[in-house]
Amino acid sequence: MPDALLTLNATPNIEEVRLAEGVTVLVVDDVLLNPERLVEFAAARRDALKPSPHNAYPGLQFPTPDEVRDRLGEFFATHIRSRLGARRTLHMNVRLSMVTQPPQALQARQSIPHRDSQGLDENECICASVLYLFDRPSLGGTSFFVTRKSLLETSLLVHDSSTMNSADFAARHGIAPGYFTASNAYFECVGAVPAQWNRMIFYDGNIFHSGNITAPNDLSDDPRTGRLTLNGFFTCTRRAR
């Protein structure tokens, strides 16, 4: 449909990238037939891109029309869901996003890798996707991590990051405000998927991950030149094992 805001490739080439044991990312290049439509859509509604205080995203976000959610949901169900161990989609959330925050302004919870799986039932899982809608790879792809500490120590770190201010968190854990891109005492970076125009990645949202922002001075709040992405979250039932 030529007038659709989101037209996905009906015969996608899906590459399975295994970064570590239990850390697999599905990479789909040339995923949209009309990626420029989303960029122009966001640019035309630039004033509607606002900070989202209810989550830890370090920038601006904009809800997308139902047609974008529905088409992405169909693509996920047809090509991706079973490959990530999911069975039935319960609900999903899709939004346009742009990373814009300077490193020194980040909260503690924005300065460590995160997971999208908090609050799920044991029979549920969450899958996530990122579509890169910019053609400057230096703006950063997505990094993935495994923990180096015990479950208890990692849980305490995550708890402190959401309850302490940046200065106190840095004093306790030695992690200063900034984009998390490399290994430290708590997390090992097992790899990163580089950003590429019209590339979409899908992964298990229970994997620790973070935007690989290594050139924060290049960030912009202009959808035509900034780190514009389409982010999808799919809460699903787990496939029987």
Side-chain angles (χ1 to χ4, degrees):
M1 186 180 300
D3 295 331
L5 186 56
L6 192 78
T7 304
L8 289 125
N9 189 337
T11 57
N13 179 34
I14 303 171
E15 180 184 2
E16 189 171 298
V17 179
R18 186 177 182 274
L19 299 176
E21 182 68 32
V23 182
T24 297
V25 183
L26 303 179
V27 179
V28 189
D29 286 332
D30 301 317
V31 66
L32 298 188
L33 303 185
N34 57 346
E36 67 287 341
R37 286 291 308 276
L38 277 177
V39 178
E40 292 307 314
F41 175 84
R45 294 157 180 80
R46 184 172 176 178
D47 291 344
L49 286 159
K50 303 293 184 184
S52 185
H54 67 278
N55 64 39
Y57 190 81
L60 307 175
Q61 297 184 325
F62 180 71
T64 55
D66 290 349
E67 68 165 287
V68 173
R69 179 201 63 205
D70 294 345
R71 289 176 183 275
L72 182 56
E74 291 168 4
F75 182 89
F76 172 75
T78 302
H79 301 288
I80 303 295
R81 186 170 60 195
S82 64
R83 299 178 67 159
L84 291 179
R87 185 169 61 88
R88 180 168 60 90
T89 304
L90 301 174
H91 57 84
M92 60 181 294
N93 181 31
V94 180
R95 59 180 181 250
L96 286 162
S97 307
M98 283 200 305
V99 174
T100 58
Q101 287 277 65
Q104 64 274 15
L106 294 181
Q107 303 170 25
R109 61 179 180 163
Q110 296 170 326
S111 300
I112 63 170
H114 66 279
R115 295 188 288 190
D116 305 313
S117 57
Q118 287 187 328
L120 291 182
D121 182 271
E122 63 179 10
N123 296 317
E124 297 175 351
C125 61
I126 188 165
C127 305
S129 66
V130 181
L131 167 62
Y132 305 111
L133 291 167
F134 52 91
D135 59 5
R136 298 171 62 195
S138 64
L139 291 176
T142 304
S143 298
F144 295 88
F145 302 85
V146 295
T147 58
R148 285 178 158 171
K149 300 289 188 179
S150 68
L151 176 61
L152 176 59
E153 290 173 298
T154 303
S155 297
L156 288 173
L157 176 77
V158 172
H159 176 268
D160 285 350
S161 75
S162 63
T163 58
M164 302 176 71
N165 63 45
S166 295
D168 291 342
F169 182 76
R172 176 173 293 183
H173 295 287
I175 302 176
Y179 289 102
F180 200 100
T181 60
S183 302
N184 72 353
Y186 290 92
F187 298 98
E188 177 186 354
C189 181
V190 294
V193 177
Q196 181 173 299
W197 167 250
N198 201 22
R199 164 178 287 174
M200 181 174 274
I201 64 172
F202 294 86
Y203 52 91
D204 183 341
N206 195 48
I207 300 170
F208 279 102
H209 56 279
S210 181
N212 188 33
I213 313 298
T214 58
N217 289 338
D218 293 341
L219 297 174
S220 166
D221 61 1
D222 183 345
R224 291 190 176 95
T225 59
R227 192 182 185 276
L228 179 67
T229 59
L230 181 74
N231 299 74
F233 304 91
F234 313 84
T235 302
C236 304
T237 56
R238 291 186 183 277
R239 188 175 59 206
R241 297 177 181 178

